[in-house]
Amino acid sequence: MPPIKSGFYLLTLTPTNRYVVFFCIRALNSMVVPLVMSTHSFSLNVATINGSGSQSSNNVLVKSLFRMGLPVGGKNMFPSNIAGLPTWYTIRVDEKGFTSRLPHNDIVVAMNQTTFLEDQKSLKSGGCLVYNSDLKLVEELIRKDVTSYGVPFRKIVTPLSDSVKLRKLLTNMVYAGIVSQLLDIPEDVVKSVVKDMFSNKFKVVDSNLDAIDAGRTYANENFDVSSFAYKARPIPGANDNKLLIDGNSAGAMGLLQAGCTFAAWYPITPSSSLIERFESYAGKYRINSKGQKNFAVVQGEDELSSICMVIGAGWAGARAMTATSGPGLSLMAEAAGLSYFAEIPAVIWDVQRVGPSTGLPTRTMQGDLLSAYTLSHGDTRHIVLLPAHPKECFDLAPRAFDLAEQLQTLVIVLSDLDIGMNQHIVDRFEVDTTHFNRGKVLTTKDLESMESFARYKDSDGDGITYRTLPGTEHPLAAYFTRGTSHDDNAKYSENNIQYKANMNRLLKKWETAKTLVPAPEIENSSSDKLGIIYYGSTWEAMRETKALLKEDSLEVSTCRVKALPFHKDVRNFIDRHKVILVVDQNRDHQMKTILGMEFPSVCHKLVGIHQYDGLPLDAHELHQQVLAKVDLQ
Amino acid sequence: MSEKAVKTNSLGLTKKDYLGSRSTLCTGCGHDSITGHLVTSLFQSGLNPYKVAKLSGIGCSSKTPTYFLDRSHGFNSIHGRMAPLATGVKSVNPTLTALGISGDGDTASIGMGGFAHMIRRNLPIVYIIENNGVYGLTKGQFSATADLNTKMKSGEKNPFVAMDLCSLAIDLGCDFVARSFSGDAKQLVPLLDAALRHNGTAVIDVISPCITFANHDGSTKSFNAVKEHLVQLQELGFVQPQEEIQVDYEEGTTQNVELADGSHLILKKLNSREHDLKNRSRAIELLHQARDNGEILTGLFYFEQSSKSFIDVLNLPDLPLAALPESQLRLNQEQLNEMLTEFK
């Protein structure tokens, strides 16, 4: 018989045509094509029910892969719910180092009855399906074009504990054992992760290790482990100077190194863990010899109060911040204008989620850019910092406070759920040794040599005026802060000329801000045809998209914007190229809109591309979007 | 007048040192009287003006911090947000005396959340509500403290029951709750004296008639109506820590309340109402009864030396957070490395 062409054939299996299955006949050609060609790059998706404790098991897997030196990323797609709804965790290992989300999976661990059919649908043909055979499944519905591994979890977990509750939790650790065995993750690596993870709880370590063992043993005894199509191939030492970390933990460390002493907040997903982490780190590293706290964290009654507490603390001279997400940012709008107009340093850390309204509260989006930039009524503009990944959350935190105090204004850090709550592989953090820039603050001593002090007088010509802090003991020190229009001496003024002069000075300060914000990250190609502007978490997908474009031999320059207002290099980048694609993760092309607003004479060059379904950006789709736009030009 | 004749306080300052800019409120406004009483109290209390933060929201009452203490930093913020603003200020610099001036709209409507939670936390602040039952700055709309059936200038009757901010504050756990009348210096000044020494939230609801929008017949907060229905719970006297207490009242008719700094508030019973200052439910009952009788009951309703203020709960360093030097705030590489082990 002639060799059958390798590939996938569609067959109709039932007369009623109710379903179709794919199946692989590659095996028939085993003489032509090797039977097993294990792949070292893969995307693994674990489908469970939230509240079942699967997060620990997923962490064991992702961290084990990280400790093997692999480029790995973990993304949690979770419901806005405490227990009982479907949740997914995707781990991508890629030997080229790309960790953005893929639309299809190579391996699916199906633990959830209700989503089983959808979950196995996400598998690539030829992929591997590890599923809970205790689920009520119609055998025929299991895809035949994938290799399936049914696991009787109940049977495996029963001897592990008498407690029903614990057995439920351990079930997840069993799949971690099975998957780690199938992927050839060394036992000692998995065990070291479990031990570190449950460090202070020996009993917990033991029961979890037992579950891992049970899973690994089951896989060994019942599956042909060596034929599993995907293998984690260690790259010794590759991650020695790397971290696998979420942006909220990184940001919390950033707040500590930034000298933040006051945080007021109102709990909201996905920002809560930022403050909780800060409080926990500060509780360890910011306690003085008397056991007192060199920080204060206040849980406000709402976001309005939280930002007003921050403004009060900033006015009194502390480095103060609040963390929130879209709905909270909306509530803070009035106070944002106060910070801008009365010129009081404040930092809002917005971990964006999907709006409008309550939207998709546990999905990711760059949806607050436009509102953050102009938050509040009247002519207001705010400094916006755009971290791309956890390391920048750490590094930009001190910059945020420096800018807020130097410019005496609100600085909004725009992180998002993908950066903030998912695990990213980044370079190890180093402590920033540059001194804080506390801005123009006059002390009693300074005032002693002065004849007069006017709070809003532009003595230096940069639009930034001097302030004194409440409590400064000098007859010249006091002034009256107000959100109403004021003269140079901070006195109430309804004078039109005075108002306009003040607004113009704020604009001058805005020009100064452009020289202080972080410059964009630019990679210029030799061609002036095409430039791509992007920002924030789209960085992860853009890395891969850039590589794909390189494979197409398409010459593309890129510019990653790190802050608003735009640094002069952004404008230069636009000027240098004929066409500029602007990547946004929102429906309304918010970055493109702001670019067009700030640079109207070149807005004809701007072409927007975007994804906005709440999932982290898909690099391959982005690649196609770029190609489609290039074709059109 | 010779220099010698000018009276100075314990800091050697004159009353003039406690004044502010000229008021721009309507002539005869109750708020201006309160400002005057406040200046008296601040002066005789010998408060260091440099160590006061004057805080307010928006409204006629919130304008008044410009009319006293020119030497203090002040902050006329946004509508209803004085309480959280003060929370931020005090948290990072507890050495400042927070003096909050609010109104009935600023507190009982738009700022209710902040007000309630400030009390819940027991933030050390003197929180004065200049209460006239109307929105003056927007020309006379009813506020949430307007009494049932009180009349607007147009004759329109208020269909809603008034919020009693004193009984609310007592219920929320506030340790210093009083009501007074802008025209009653004898009562308000000692109350302010005592409030300035309280380690926690001190709420003083001051009925302060609006001369322009609520001083007509049919308004329950006109000067005449207030004077007619005013019932004082006690007669108050304040005794400085160093002064000798001289009580010449009949035994059993006075209460002597010691304040945190060793000063005393002397309360003389004025009528048959029995009241123990530490009895919350009785205080609320008294207020409800007075309202049912159409009376405006004034005096100190609840007092207890707070065991823990919000600042105590925060467990702050001796130096205010706002004054901590960079050296005490920096993170070192060893600490960072320790934190990072979790992510290896």
Side-chain angles (χ1 to χ4, degrees):
Chain A
M1 144 179 150
I4 300 169
K5 202 181 166 198
S6 174
F8 306 112
Y9 290 77
L10 182 69
L11 291 185
T12 309
L13 287 190
T14 65
T16 52
N17 260 347
R18 270 213 305 251
Y19 55 86
V20 291
V21 290
F22 293 89
F23 79 107
C24 174
I25 55 164
R26 191 178 273 183
L28 293 173
N29 299 314
S30 56
M31 301 307 286
V32 187
V33 196
L35 178 66
V36 176
M37 240 182 61
S38 56
T39 308
H40 305 292
S41 294
F42 53 85
S43 173
L44 181 157
N45 186 16
V46 182
T48 51
I49 296 168
N50 85 314
S52 67
S54 54
Q55 193 53 40
S56 308
S57 314
N58 299 330
N59 279 337
V60 167
L61 286 173
V62 74
K63 193 157 257 192
S64 298
L65 292 161
F66 171 74
R67 287 194 182 174
M68 290 174 74
L70 298 169
V72 63
K75 295 197 190 296
N76 193 3
M77 208 171 85
F78 59 103
S80 177
N81 186 57
I82 297 304
L85 286 183
T87 182
W88 295 268
Y89 191 81
T90 309
I91 296 170
R92 182 176 175 192
V93 172
D94 183 85
E95 290 203 319
K96 288 185 207 150
F98 301 127
T99 50
S100 64
R101 182 184 67 87
L102 289 173
H104 298 289
N105 297 299
D106 301 298
I107 307 162
V108 162
V109 179
M111 302 294 287
N112 186 354
Q113 176 83 46
T114 51
T115 60
F116 180 84
L117 291 177
E118 279 301 310
D119 293 337
Q120 71 158 357
K121 213 188 258 179
S122 75
L123 263 178
K124 269 188 193 160
S125 240
C128 297
L129 173 71
V130 177
Y131 68 98
N132 184 351
S133 58
D134 301 332
L135 303 179
K136 294 180 188 71
L137 302 171
V138 180
E139 194 63 27
E140 289 73 28
L141 287 179
I142 298 174
R143 276 171 62 177
K144 301 297 182 287
D145 64 327
V146 299
T147 316
S148 50
Y149 301 82
V151 182
F153 281 95
R154 204 177 296 130
K155 202 178 112 195
I156 302 173
V157 87
T158 303
L160 296 175
S161 172
D162 295 332
S163 148
V164 178
K165 200 179 152 198
L166 188 58
R167 283 210 294 264
K168 202 174 139 195
L169 296 173
L170 292 177
T171 299
N172 292 309
M173 218 37 97
V174 170
Y175 78 62
I178 287 169
V179 172
S180 67
Q181 187 66 32
L182 291 170
L183 287 172
D184 278 0
I185 301 176
E187 191 178 351
D188 60 322
V189 175
V190 181
K191 289 192 167 172
S192 75
V193 171
V194 172
K195 280 178 191 159
D196 292 347
M197 207 158 156
F198 303 106
S199 55
N200 298 319
K201 299 174 259 181
F202 296 112
K203 254 192 170 168
V204 184
V205 170
D206 287 345
S207 54
N208 279 290
L209 287 179
D210 289 348
I212 297 267
D213 270 341
R216 290 181 76 99
T217 308
Y218 184 87
N220 266 337
E221 288 172 356
N222 297 278
F223 303 136
D224 179 7
V225 172
S226 63
S227 73
F228 194 74
Y230 303 94
K231 293 294 177 193
R233 184 165 60 187
I235 312 174
N239 285 341
D240 284 359
N241 287 314
K242 303 267 184 193
L243 301 166
L244 185 69
I245 192 168
D246 60 281
N248 284 354
S249 298
M253 293 177 202
L255 294 179
L256 237 71
Q257 82 152 347
C260 171
T261 50
F262 183 84
W265 68 303
Y266 187 73
I268 182 169
T269 305
S271 74
S272 304
S273 62
L274 178 78
I275 300 290
E276 285 167 340
R277 279 275 172 172
F278 173 66
E279 192 166 12
S280 127
Y281 291 143
K284 193 167 180 196
Y285 300 109
R286 280 273 193 80
I287 303 292
N288 69 16
S289 54
K290 289 183 178 170
Q292 297 161 327
K293 292 177 174 174
N294 281 348
F295 70 98
V297 174
V298 182
Q299 187 181 320
E301 46 276 12
D302 50 42
E303 287 91 345
L304 287 167
S305 284
S306 301
I307 184 64
C308 288
M309 289 178 196
V310 168
I311 289 173
W315 179 71
R319 292 199 144 186
M321 65 84 65
T322 181
T324 191
S325 191
L329 189 74
S330 295
L331 280 177
M332 291 176 188
E334 190 186 6
L338 175 68
S339 166
Y340 175 80
F341 195 53
E343 302 180 63
I344 299 160
V347 173
I348 298 175
W349 195 293
D350 175 8
V351 188
Q352 301 167 94
R353 64 188 213 184
V354 179
S357 191
T358 311
L360 289 168
T362 58
R363 299 287 187 271
T364 194
M365 175 110 16
Q366 297 178 317
D368 300 346
L369 186 75
L370 204 47
S371 61
Y373 189 48
T374 61
L375 193 67
S376 207
H377 54 277
D379 289 325
T380 48
R381 292 187 201 180
H382 307 293
I383 315 291
V384 179
L385 296 183
L386 301 162
H389 47 70
K391 185 167 183 346
E392 282 193 348
C393 290
F394 177 76
D395 291 336
L396 284 177
R399 296 299 302 275
F401 287 93
D402 280 354
L403 287 168
E405 290 192 325
Q406 269 177 286
L407 293 158
Q408 299 173 24
T409 196
L410 174 65
V411 172
I412 302 174
V413 181
L414 278 188
S415 175
D416 62 30
L417 185 141
D418 186 29
I419 300 173
M421 292 187 75
N422 287 328
Q423 287 166 296
H424 303 263
I425 199 163
V426 292
D427 289 340
R428 203 182 165 84
F429 304 165
E430 300 297 330
V431 154
D432 189 346
T433 50
T434 46
H435 287 293
F436 298 160
N437 190 329
R438 306 298 310 253
K440 299 178 183 177
V441 178
L442 298 172
T443 61
T444 305
K445 212 179 148 202
D446 297 327
L447 293 166
E448 275 163 7
S449 57
M450 292 169 70
E451 276 175 19
S452 64
F453 161 61
R455 168 68 180 99
Y456 296 109
K457 190 170 188 285
D458 185 11
S459 332
D460 301 338
D462 56 3
I464 306 170
T465 64
Y466 287 81
R467 63 175 182 142
T468 56
L469 303 180
T472 305
E473 302 210 35
H474 193 277
L476 290 178
Y479 66 94
F480 202 88
T481 305
R482 55 179 81 248
T484 41
S485 185
H486 39 265
D487 63 15
D488 282 359
N489 288 305
K491 297 247 187 286
Y492 180 65
S493 167
E494 293 180 358
N495 182 294
N496 53 319
I497 296 162
Q498 183 65 54
Y499 168 80
K500 196 174 161 187
N502 193 30
M503 290 303 284
N504 287 342
R505 180 184 54 77
L506 288 171
L507 212 51
K508 194 197 271 178
K509 185 163 86 167
W510 186 248
E511 289 303 313
T512 304
K514 291 177 186 174
T515 66
L516 300 174
V517 295
E521 189 178 85
I522 290 175
E523 286 174 28
N524 273 323
S525 72
S526 52
S527 158
D528 63 356
K529 276 189 189 148
L530 182 65
I532 299 180
I533 288 180
Y534 64 108
Y535 63 101
S537 63
T538 58
W539 168 83
E540 194 179 29
M542 270 300 294
R543 283 172 64 227
E544 190 167 6
T545 302
K546 278 193 261 179
L548 294 168
L549 291 168
K550 211 170 185 179
E551 284 171 23
D552 300 330
S553 305
L554 199 69
E555 292 268 18
V556 183
S557 303
T558 57
C559 167
R560 179 163 68 82
V561 175
K562 287 188 181 178
L564 301 177
F566 297 115
H567 187 274
K568 64 175 177 13
D569 291 358
V570 176
R571 176 60 197 259
N572 292 341
F573 180 84
I574 298 173
D575 288 343
R576 205 181 301 128
H577 297 89
K578 291 201 169 74
V579 175
I580 300 286
L581 298 185
V582 185
V583 181
D584 266 294
Q585 197 183 12
N586 52 61
R587 186 193 66 181
D588 292 347
H589 302 283
Q590 296 187 17
M591 179 58 89
K592 180 180 160 255
T593 303
I594 295 172
L595 285 164
M597 202 164 98
E598 297 298 339
F599 308 128
S601 63
V602 289
C603 73
H604 59 280
K605 288 187 179 185
L606 308 174
V607 180
I609 48 176
H610 57 168
Q611 291 173 27
Y612 53 95
D613 58 359
L615 300 176
L617 237 60
D618 172 351
H620 294 264
E621 190 185 331
L622 191 60
H623 173 226
Q624 291 306 315
Q625 288 176 308
V626 173
L627 293 182
K629 294 294 181 190
V630 171
D631 282 350
L632 288 175
Q633 299 308 314
Chain B
M1 196 167 62
S2 73
E3 270 186 44
K4 229 181 172 182
V6 181
K7 206 179 154 195
T8 56
N9 65 9
S10 56
L11 292 179
L13 298 173
T14 65
K15 199 166 179 178
K16 216 177 144 192
D17 296 318
Y18 290 82
L19 298 178
S21 313
R22 231 187 67 185
S23 170
T24 58
L25 297 176
C26 308
T27 307
C29 178
H31 298 356
D32 283 335
S33 311
I34 299 171
T35 298
H37 306 325
L38 197 51
V39 168
T40 304
S41 170
L42 291 164
F43 166 68
Q44 69 189 33
S45 297
L47 220 64
N48 179 356
Y50 297 135
K51 295 294 177 191
V52 177
K54 306 176 290 178
L55 308 164
S56 65
I58 290 290
C60 291
S61 56
S62 290
K63 282 169 170 258
T64 65
T66 26
Y67 312 146
F68 58 88
L69 279 185
D70 253 352
R71 292 191 181 189
S72 308
H73 277 73
F75 199 150
N76 179 196
S77 65
I78 43 182
H79 203 16
R81 308 293 158 225
M82 183 264 281
L85 186 86
T87 307
V89 173
K90 271 299 270 191
S91 299
V92 304
N93 192 351
T95 66
L96 298 170
T97 296
L99 197 51
I101 311 288
S102 185
D104 38 311
D106 200 53
T107 293
S109 290
I110 196 167
M112 183 54 100
F115 174 68
H117 287 270
M118 170 196 71
I119 293 173
R120 176 177 155 257
R121 295 189 186 100
N122 198 20
L123 181 82
I125 184 174
V126 178
Y127 192 104
I128 298 165
I129 304 145
E130 303 188 342
N131 184 354
N132 53 21
V134 290
Y135 284 83
L137 212 49
T138 49
K139 303 199 170 178
Q141 300 81 1
F142 289 130
S143 83
T145 63
D147 296 305
L148 179 68
N149 290 329
T150 186
K151 279 186 186 162
M152 216 183 258
K153 230 176 167 181
S154 64
E156 190 185 326
K157 275 187 177 178
N158 178 29
F160 305 114
V161 174
M163 278 191 179
D164 187 321
L165 293 171
C166 285
S167 62
L168 180 73
I170 294 166
D171 195 44
L172 287 166
C174 188
D175 285 340
F176 188 118
V177 184
R179 173 167 290 141
S180 191
F181 168 52
S182 59
D184 190 350
K186 219 177 144 205
Q187 184 190 48
L188 183 52
V189 172
L191 280 174
L192 289 166
D193 290 343
L196 284 168
R197 287 153 174 90
H198 180 62
N199 180 33
T201 305
V203 170
I204 308 179
D205 180 29
V206 189
I207 307 300
S208 174
C210 174
I211 196 88
T212 307
F213 297 106
N215 205 31
H216 48 271
D217 286 347
S219 161
T220 57
K221 284 190 173 67
S222 68
F223 273 103
N224 288 340
V226 173
K227 278 181 187 156
E228 206 173 302
H229 295 98
L230 208 65
V231 177
Q232 289 183 340
L233 185 60
Q234 318 100 340
E235 190 182 304
L236 296 168
F238 182 80
V239 184
Q240 299 279 2
Q242 63 275 22
E243 287 178 51
E244 194 186 333
I245 305 169
Q246 290 177 322
V247 185
D248 51 5
Y249 300 131
E250 219 176 293
E251 210 172 310
T253 62
T254 58
Q255 280 186 72
N256 179 354
V257 175
E258 191 176 350
L259 302 164
D261 68 341
S263 55
H264 290 79
L265 198 61
I266 312 292
L267 299 95
K268 186 190 169 198
K269 197 174 128 183
L270 282 179
N271 46 51
S272 59
R273 289 176 176 87
E274 289 296 334
H275 184 47
D276 169 7
L277 285 176
K278 290 185 182 179
N279 189 336
R280 278 188 200 278
S281 51
R282 172 66 185 147
I284 292 173
E285 196 186 329
L286 274 175
L287 284 161
H288 286 188
Q289 279 170 359
R291 184 176 64 192
D292 294 346
N293 295 337
E295 296 167 341
I296 300 170
L297 190 66
T298 62
L300 184 62
F301 305 132
Y302 189 87
F303 176 79
E304 194 167 5
Q305 278 204 29
S306 295
S307 55
K308 256 191 178 180
S309 76
F310 183 57
I311 300 306
D312 300 322
V313 171
L314 290 177
N315 183 23
L316 296 170
D318 302 340
L319 205 60
L321 291 178
L324 285 179
E326 187 177 331
S327 59
Q328 288 190 44
L329 299 173
R330 293 307 295 239
L331 194 63
N332 64 45
Q333 191 67 43
E334 291 91 277
Q335 292 171 328
L336 180 62
N337 289 345
E338 198 174 75
M339 281 188 263
L340 293 178
T341 38
E342 189 189 337
F343 304 99
K344 287 298 293 176

